[in-house]
Amino acid sequence: MFVPSQYREPDVSWMLDLMRENPLALAASNGPPAQGPFATHLPVITDPQWTGQPLSDLAGMHLLGHMNRANPHWKALDTGTVVLLTFTGPHAYVSPTVYDITPAAPTWDFTSVHVHGTVERIESTEETLDVVQATVQAFEKELGDNWDMTRSIDYFRKIVPAVGAFRVRVSKAEGMFKLSQEQSTEIRERVVRSFAERGCTRHAQTAELMNRLP
């Protein structure tokens, strides 16, 4: 991903927060020449067994994902496959009317993290079940109501043979936080106000990130 220097994340925590708060990633990898690249939307979490500390580019971090084994992507996702995980965060259209200057051009403020890594397929049923349970726990803890899955484990065991789980060993990650940094302070403040006034969650989240910029 091309990231101009002014749009790089202020700190590695920005990338980690975006990934955690927007966990539905787009996983892309090469397929056979006749089929071209594969891309699948799937939930991705940090491997709870990974105890390392994230580097500035997240190298060495371990992530977990899973998809339907009937998906042709799964059949092409061998251990050692290079994969790209794209996480998309808050974004919003910026109208030239906000600038109150002429000439001006519209643009789009957006946030994204691209994670590169290699795949390790998880073949055993028990380990796959562990990935499913870890995923539930991660999302219930942060995004749900802490649903107790205990009484559903037998049901999980029935459906888990259709689940393809994998681990991604991260080689590097790139963050793009395009938040009108190239504009003057006055114009950035106008953009923040316009986003905050739209009554839309993603606009409000984009404005919040802009306010957090150093």
Side-chain angles (χ1 to χ4, degrees), residues 41 71 85-86 213:
H41 294 274
N71 186 340
L85 300 172
T86 300
L213 285 171

Side-chain angles (χ1 to χ4, degrees), residues 153-189:
I153 297 301
D154 287 342
Y155 175 66
F156 281 13
R157 290 187 182 280
K158 290 179 180 179
I159 63 176
V160 83
V163 176
F166 60 93
R167 179 177 292 105
V168 172
R169 300 180 185 274
V170 178
S171 57
K172 69 173 182 177
E174 304 156 314
M176 177 81 157
F177 291 81
K178 182 178 178 294
L179 299 167
S180 296
Q181 291 97 323
E182 76 284 1
Q183 300 293 345
S184 68
T185 300
E186 180 183 358
I187 289 180
R188 286 202 304 271
E189 290 174 351

Side-chain angles (χ1 to χ4, degrees), residues 60-82:
M61 190 174 185
H62 294 179
L63 304 174
L64 296 177
H66 66 278
M67 65 175 71
N68 193 320
R69 283 179 175 265
N71 186 340
H73 195 173
W74 172 252
K75 295 177 176 61
L77 207 64
D78 296 322
T79 292
T81 298
V82 175

Side-chain angles (χ1 to χ4, degrees), residues 83-199:
V83 67
L84 170 66
L85 300 172
T86 300
F87 299 81
T88 301
H91 58 92
Y93 171 75
V94 183
S95 169
T97 59
V98 177
Y99 298 150
D100 196 26
I101 58 174
T102 301
T107 190
W108 208 288
D109 280 354
F110 68 94
T111 58
S112 181
V113 173
H114 285 195
V115 177
H116 304 256
T118 55
V119 169
E120 176 191 332
R121 282 173 64 125
I122 295 172
E123 301 291 358
S124 80
T125 298
E126 286 305 311
E127 285 184 282
T128 300
L129 182 61
D130 288 343
V131 171
V132 172
Q133 290 181 267
T135 302
V136 172
Q137 289 168 345
F139 296 151
E140 283 297 320
K141 178 181 178 181
E142 295 199 16
L143 306 175
D145 295 316
N146 256 338
W147 171 65
D148 182 1
M149 72 179 103
T150 306
R151 290 182 294 177
S152 296
I153 297 301
D154 287 342
Y155 175 66
F156 281 13
R157 290 187 182 280
K158 290 179 180 179
I159 63 176
V160 83
V163 176
F166 60 93
R167 179 177 292 105
V168 172
R169 300 180 185 274
V170 178
S171 57
K172 69 173 182 177
E174 304 156 314
M176 177 81 157
F177 291 81
K178 182 178 178 294
L179 299 167
S180 296
Q181 291 97 323
E182 76 284 1
Q183 300 293 345
S184 68
T185 300
E186 180 183 358
I187 289 180
R188 286 202 304 271
E189 290 174 351
R190 290 179 188 169
V191 174
V192 168
R193 286 197 299 271
S194 73
F195 288 167
E197 292 169 355
R198 292 190 192 180

